[in-house]
Amino acid sequence: MPQLLTRRLSAALAAVVLPFCAHAGAVSFKPTGVVYFDGVDAHPDVKPFEDVDKVRSGRLGFVAKAGERWQLNVEHEFTDRSTPDAFLQFTPAKGHALRLGQFKQPFLMEDATSARQTPLMEASLLGAFALGRRIGLGYAWSDANHAVNATVFGQRLDGKNEGIGAAVRASRALHFGDDLLHLGVGASVDSPDSETARFSTKPEAALATSSLVDTGTLGDVQRTTRAGLEALWIGGPWSVQAEAAAVQSHRDDAADVRGTGGYALASWSPTGHRRNYKAGTASSPTIGKEVAWELVVRYSVLDLDSAASQGGVQSDWNVGATCYLTSYARLMANYVVADSRRRGVNDDPRLFLMRVQLQF
């Protein structure tokens, strides 16, 4: 049923919206696609972790534009037969945008960065608090120095995360010569129809076969609130990025579920390439004809221990190198050193990750 719903939504958007938008101006069509082939060489401690090599992600989609105001984005993920993005965007004026459909909800700067542009292969431990993609209605405004993104949302296209919520993320960029300092905040609240909450994460490797910290599924949840702070500095080939966030699931007849987390990241390009920045989000360096390199180190922490659940505490060091062969291909290698403690058990695996990424 969820797949049928996805196909019907995509077909309806394409069949109904595009003919209408065609009256607004010339229609352009651009295909999009990305493939990640990942490998994991695991060195487990307590929990078993398996060596894995497979296609981590394979997506095809398109961006259709009608004049300067209308845009339709649709993607299909072949590995799990899902539709990550399916939304219509209307731009009434420069710097303003309205979006309807399924898309990433605003909260974390890290999550706002496209997976194609991330400096490391996977999100930090703070990704356990990300809202991810939901069906919603959003408004965004940005100029050279400010960005605001606010949404109301419901469930996902696949039927998960039923309930309603709202989220907002706002940022300001300060310029000091060629250097840039970004400061931002994010917040959200949602009420799950299931009246449950669960937070867990793998050790910064999506193909890892175990999670080290996990609250388990807890009931009687009336609403979940999130709040976060973010900062980013870019100076030439160097950058430093950090975020901290807290989550609380409120329960009437039991202790609230609480969690905190954060990370700090530093990157340097020995080839002198600078990370890009636009509308409150950082992205990969612009690649010309020459090969570019980027070296990254990140430290992240996640604390899921509270009165409601002994979910555990984890910290990771992640060291990575990325070789940008062209704007369409890059090679990545990450080494993750994880340290965790849950219910008195220490578990400290090590994982070596590699990726071949092709995109257009």
Side-chain angles (χ1 to χ4, degrees):
M1 181 62 70
Q3 297 303 320
L4 179 59
L5 176 62
T6 298
R7 290 195 295 269
R8 286 180 175 175
L9 175 61
S10 300
L13 286 171
V16 176
V17 175
L18 282 181
F20 171 78
C21 295
H23 296 289
V27 176
S28 64
F29 181 88
K30 178 184 177 182
T32 61
V34 62
V35 175
Y36 310 150
F37 185 86
D38 287 5
V40 178
D41 180 20
H43 300 269
D45 182 16
V46 177
K47 285 188 174 182
F49 283 86
E50 299 177 2
D51 295 344
V52 182
D53 57 272
K54 61 185 293 186
V55 175
R56 158 82 167 80
S57 177
R59 295 184 183 181
L60 285 177
F62 66 85
V63 177
K65 295 183 178 181
E68 298 295 325
R69 295 191 174 188
W70 294 92
Q71 178 175 313
L72 178 66
N73 289 51
V74 177
E75 276 190 329
H76 180 75
E77 173 63 59
F78 286 88
T79 59
D80 61 5
R81 299 181 181 179
S82 66
T83 301
D85 288 329
F87 63 84
L88 175 69
Q89 181 169 297
F90 174 63
T91 305
K94 184 178 180 180
H96 300 264
L98 292 169
R99 182 175 289 186
L100 174 65
Q102 176 161 289
F103 51 89
K104 278 187 179 180
Q105 301 301 307
F107 175 56
L108 298 174
M109 173 172 55
E110 181 183 56
D111 192 48
T113 302
S114 168
R116 305 182 184 200
Q117 307 286 335
T118 55
L120 291 167
M121 288 172 56
E122 305 291 353
S124 70
L125 297 176
L126 193 61
F129 298 158
L131 289 167
R133 290 175 167 86
R134 306 281 188 92
I135 300 172
L137 173 65
Y139 167 75
W141 169 78
S142 65
D143 61 15
N145 299 316
H146 307 83
V148 178
N149 197 335
T151 65
V152 291
F153 58 84
Q155 67 180 43
R156 288 169 48 94
L157 273 173
D158 58 13
K160 297 179 180 178
N161 302 114
E162 293 184 355
I164 58 172
V168 63
R169 178 172 170 257
S171 63
R172 169 74 188 276
L174 305 172
H175 299 270
F176 305 92
D178 293 333
D179 294 355
L180 177 145
L181 175 63
H182 159 107
L183 300 173
V185 297
S188 76
V189 58
D190 66 279
S191 298
D193 285 354
S194 63
E195 297 188 354
T196 62
R198 180 178 185 178
F199 301 98
S200 67
T201 184
K202 296 179 179 180
E204 301 188 25
L207 296 183
T209 51
S210 296
S211 296
L212 299 178
V213 291
D214 189 345
T215 63
T217 301
L218 301 174
D220 193 33
V221 172
Q222 304 306 308
R223 68 186 184 280
T224 296
T225 56
R226 296 170 171 86
L229 298 173
E230 58 189 58
L232 167 70
W233 172 79
I234 300 177
W238 296 88
S239 79
V240 178
Q241 178 176 321
E243 289 189 85
V247 64
Q248 181 174 358
S249 291
H250 304 264
R251 305 198 293 171
D252 288 340
D253 300 319
D256 291 348
V257 184
R258 300 175 185 268
T260 58
Y263 71 86
L265 174 152
S267 72
W268 172 59
S269 171
T271 51
H273 290 76
R274 177 188 178 98
R275 293 179 76 191
N276 286 306
Y277 176 88
K278 182 179 180 181
T281 304
S283 58
S284 298
T286 299
I287 310 302
K289 295 181 179 180
E290 72 283 5
V291 172
W293 284 87
E294 188 175 31
L295 306 178
V296 184
V297 59
R298 181 176 67 200
Y299 178 73
S300 59
V301 295
L302 185 66
D303 186 347
L304 298 180
D305 279 345
S306 67
S309 172
Q310 297 301 300
V313 179
Q314 182 176 341
S315 63
D316 286 359
W317 282 99
N318 193 335
V319 179
T322 300
C323 176
Y324 298 90
L325 300 174
T326 70
S327 57
Y328 305 103
R330 66 176 179 171
L331 306 176
M332 307 181 74
N334 292 178
Y335 184 67
V336 180
V337 178
D339 294 282
S340 70
R341 183 186 72 257
R342 183 170 185 245
R343 297 179 179 176
V345 177
N346 294 327
D347 194 352
D348 308 327
R350 309 293 187 252
L351 300 102
F352 178 67
L353 319 175
M354 293 193 70
R355 170 177 293 172
V356 178
Q357 178 175 322
L358 304 174
Q359 64 189 44
F360 61 89

